[in-house]
Amino acid sequence: MAEKKLKKHLYRYKRYYVFIAITIVALVLPWIRINGNHFFLLNFDHMKVHLFFVKFDMQELYLMPFLLIMGFLGVFFMTTLGGRVWCGWACPQTIFRVIYRDLLKTKLLGIRKSIQNKQAPDKKGTTGKQIIAFVIWAILAFIAGANFIWYFVPPEDFLKYIQHPSEHMVMIGFIVGIAAFLIYDITKLKEDFCIYVCPYARVQSVMYDEETIQAVYDVGRGGQIYEVDPRTGVSIGKKKAHNRKELLAQDPDAECTYCEACVRVCPTHIDIREGTQLECINCLECADACTKVMGSLGKPSLIEWNSISAVKEHRRPKFLRFRTIAYGVALTVAFIALLWMSTTKEYMLLNVNRTTELYETEDHGKIVENAYIMLFQNTDNKDHKYYFTVLKEDKTPFKAIYVKKPNKPFPLSAGKKVKKIAVLATKEILAKDYKKDVTIPIIIKAYAVDDPKKIVVYRKTIFAFPRYDNLMKLRKEQSQ
Ligand code: SF4
Ligand code: SF4
């Protein structure tokens, strides 16, 4: 009953709802397709990247720096603002540990006595139940492994591949590897992963400032439990008061009951009354534990989800400050740039290379031809017919040069490439140079004939025209 009344004040239930939402999104998102495209897919199989339901070719890797910049800025912004909010509210490691330790082992199988005591060992004589918990977790680990793979091998391919596992051993190997790691990590490594392995845990503390939100013990109300360095105000790791009596002796107004419910519930086995610690994953279990203890005395929790300065000064935290605004602005700019880049994507790719021959002449110098190797790629979801024209540098039509080959538009299926030998020709005198051949800058405008406004690309190249005297010699030979 007390828990029911307290429910709206406890972070635990709010975290559970977030865990459920994240799990549903992670499981369902890879199955959602719009125009055949996924929200996020890094598909090495077909060399494609899907982002915000738009498909990109791996050659369009100009998007990757934006994604990386956004990732880093997002981590900086989130950590400066909310500390290890990711760890406590969204990290798969935390979610999996809650599923295994609190749901499976404690609530469902009764191997552990209470979720309020994460320090206590498992009950004795529960080997059978331990095996059941292990097997259930192993199954869930394989589902999590497959779920992870769906962001690299889309579910529509995954369902086909899984029916012929021997032909897709790399994919199977990854799923088995991820599942094996998750089984070891969640059942044996536990929170040691957060403390010793996770790289984010190592770097996050440098992004903290006095206004970063975290689990904070209110020393002013609760009383000084640990001795602190007088210069830095940081704990020196030695207890000043070992029990309530000693605490009251040094501070008669100290409110901490010394029940240590906050210590027992901590999954990383720390005492938050010692101050900010690297091991704290911001799960706020200690805040909930103290809410219950102090709530029964009609007082607010001594452990708050707040900033150190705000707790000291009994105020709300300052979210808007120079660092958070700067990260927020940079993140918004990177996001807008990414959105803009993803909407201005090229629906076709074109590489234009000249052949080794500078030029050729036909009809005794009356026609000058240049040959090119063009690689067309249809990066759209639909089949199209493509063709191209020649423009001058100022993008006006270069009427004197015409496309001799291919002489008509050609079809190209969605996602396919084709190599074409293209021949551009002219019957006019484009330059009169008596000393050398002339290179004339041109632009190839290639487009889909069925959608020339949306699907169009421009590539710069040159058209080589022979020395005027050599050309005239050829023409004279013919007339004699
Ligand atoms: S739960 Fe609250 S009252 Fe109990 S020891 Fe922790 S801080 Fe003190
Ligand atoms: S001190 Fe422990 S219980 Fe409290 S937020 Fe940090 S990790 Fe969680």
Side-chain angles (χ1 to χ4, degrees), residues 36 52 54 59 94 114 138 153 177 206 244 248 263 329 337 363 369 434 456 473:
F52 306 133
V54 179
Q59 289 177 27
T94 306
S114 163
V153 177
V206 296
R244 170 103 179 126
L248 287 177
V263 183
V329 169
D363 198 9
E369 295 175 355
Y434 290 85
V456 57
K473 221 188 275 172

Side-chain angles (χ1 to χ4, degrees), residues 353-414:
N353 293 305
R354 290 178 53 81
T355 59
T356 47
E357 293 278 332
L358 202 52
Y359 57 79
E360 278 191 10
T361 54
E362 287 276 315
D363 198 9
H364 297 279
K366 287 206 181 103
I367 301 172
V368 176
E369 295 175 355
N370 278 214
Y372 305 79
I373 299 167
M374 292 191 184
L375 182 67
F376 286 83
Q377 185 170 357
N378 179 356
T379 53
D380 199 10
N381 296 321
K382 293 184 233 152
D383 300 349
H384 291 290
K385 272 190 171 180
Y386 293 97
Y387 204 52
F388 57 94
T389 57
V390 185
L391 305 179
K392 290 181 186 167
E393 272 185 304
D394 60 4
K395 288 202 173 173
T396 55
F398 208 144
K399 287 183 184 148
I401 301 176
Y402 59 95
V403 181
K404 187 176 175 191
K405 199 177 154 190
N407 56 7
K408 59 176 190 308
F410 55 90
L412 189 54
S413 308

Side-chain angles (χ1 to χ4, degrees), residues 87-107:
C87 305
W89 292 77
C91 179
Q93 169 80 15
T94 306
I95 299 176
F96 294 159
R97 281 291 296 154
V98 168
I99 292 173
Y100 183 67
R101 180 196 55 219
D102 296 345
L103 180 66
L104 273 178
K105 288 180 86 176
T106 313
K107 289 283 178 195

Side-chain angles (χ1 to χ4, degrees), residues 4 27 77 119 145 169-170 177 194 224 269 309 322-323 385 399 439 441 443 462 465:
K4 240 183 188 175
L27 283 166
F77 178 66
Q119 315 283 353
M169 288 313 285
V170 175
C194 312
Q224 192 81 53
H269 302 196
S309 297
F322 177 75
R323 279 169 75 173
K385 272 190 171 180
K399 287 183 184 148
T439 55
I443 295 171
I462 52 137
F465 196 78

Side-chain angles (χ1 to χ4, degrees), residues 217 256-260 262 273 290:
Y217 169 68
C256 177
T257 63
Y258 224 111
C259 65
E260 300 216 314
C262 54
R273 296 173 301 171
C290 196

